[in-house]
Amino acid sequence: MNATTATGVAVGPRLRERRDAGRKLLVPYVTGGVSADWTDYLRAYADAGADAVEIGLPFSEPMIDGPTVQEASERALHRGATVRGILADLRAVRVDVPLIVMTYYHLVAREGHAEFCAALAEAGVRGLIVPDLPLEELAELEQATAAADVDLILVAAPSGAPSRLREIAARSRGFVYAMTAMVTTGERAELPASAAEFAARLKAHTDLPVVLGFGISTPEHAVAGARAADGVVVASALMRGLLDGATPAESGAQVRALRAALDEVYG
């Protein structure tokens, strides 16, 4: 399958290629449907140097989202955003970076595993994160994502037992999403010192990129987080700007500053 056709850009090959070339990965986030022009933020991120973009499907009962992403989800739902509507928006967008959807299992189960994954693929989405689905219940969704050529990206928490972390590393596809700490998402004043050690532990179990998220808020955080990890996810800091009125160009400038900081130190 051609990774640059309408099927979207494949997550694993693109991120491995960039990591192996010495680049630190940058994955910014946007809540789908948060504004009428929300896909313009996606384009701005890609133009500013994102290596992939994470798209949150708004859900009324989020478990791991902090107040900023919750507010963004509430705004999107108030605007009438739906899974099908967000995917329809994505079908009209073509960007040369992998698109990854983050959602909760309720939305997947409501659509049906195969139907949901097929709809993602049709919209050009090639990665899926479902943080509230435990390892013990993954098998059916693993089959559906594999059939749709969508990478099922698993989230690893610092509290996980070594055996569980090894299994997450073995079963994840595309990359392993490492949490900085046992917290909800949100802006932070500083990263926990243990985050780098946790990323290093995960990297010992896998050749997949290990990308660190939860609380990466500034260029300094991105640099610190990428010291041991292969890259970082930035969500709440970008969504706070958007909620406060940042235009796509201004949010793109935030991403460009993160990219420049990573490249200055590691490039």
Side-chain angles (χ1 to χ4, degrees):
M1 184 176 292
N2 187 333
T4 58
T5 68
T7 57
V9 180
V11 178
R14 172 63 66 88
L15 296 190
R16 277 178 182 267
E17 175 188 9
R18 293 193 170 187
R19 179 203 60 185
D20 293 348
R23 180 181 175 98
K24 290 295 186 176
L25 304 172
L26 176 59
V27 184
Y29 168 100
V30 64
T31 298
V34 69
S35 64
D37 61 347
W38 76 271
T39 57
D40 291 342
Y41 291 85
L42 189 157
R43 292 189 186 94
Y45 292 172
D47 291 344
D51 296 292
V53 177
E54 181 185 352
I55 301 155
L57 299 185
F59 182 54
S60 57
E61 298 179 39
M63 295 175 59
I64 66 169
D65 293 324
T68 300
V69 175
Q70 285 188 37
E71 183 181 345
S73 287
E74 289 165 4
R75 182 180 293 189
L77 292 170
H78 183 72
R79 290 191 63 253
T82 64
V83 171
R84 293 290 173 168
I86 289 166
L87 295 183
D89 289 343
L90 287 176
R91 284 198 294 273
V93 175
R94 287 291 169 258
V95 291
D96 189 31
V97 298
L99 301 181
I100 300 158
V101 153
M102 195 290 286
T103 190
Y104 290 93
Y105 183 63
H106 174 82
L107 297 182
V108 179
R110 187 175 67 186
E111 294 280 330
H113 295 81
E115 294 82 356
F116 184 87
C117 294
L120 292 184
E122 185 186 357
V125 175
R126 298 292 296 280
L128 174 63
I129 304 168
V130 186
D132 61 333
L133 186 62
L135 279 174
E136 295 76 13
E137 300 173 24
L138 275 183
E140 186 177 351
L141 186 56
E142 283 178 319
Q143 293 173 3
T145 50
D149 203 14
V150 171
D151 282 333
L152 183 58
I153 298 156
L154 304 187
V155 178
S159 61
S163 60
R164 193 168 189 83
L165 295 178
R166 283 194 296 271
E167 185 174 358
I168 287 170
R171 294 173 70 176
S172 191
R173 297 292 178 264
F175 65 89
V176 180
Y177 192 135
M179 295 173 62
T180 60
M182 291 300 296
V183 293
T184 57
T185 63
E187 299 140 284
R188 306 266 182 259
E190 59 185 25
L191 292 184
S194 58
E197 184 272 335
F198 179 53
R201 272 198 290 142
L202 280 174
K203 287 181 68 173
H205 296 310
T206 182
D207 187 46
L208 291 177
V210 172
V211 180
L212 198 61
F214 286 58
I216 309 285
S217 304
T218 66
E220 293 75 19
H221 288 172
V223 168
R227 187 162 290 119
D230 296 304
V232 293
V233 176
V234 181
S236 294
L238 289 166
M239 295 313 300
R240 174 44 55 200
L242 188 158
L243 291 169
D244 289 346
T247 64
E250 289 167 338
S251 292
Q254 277 185 274
V255 173
R256 192 169 288 108
L258 292 159
R259 177 78 268 159
L262 290 170
D263 290 348
E264 181 179 359
V265 175
Y266 301 111

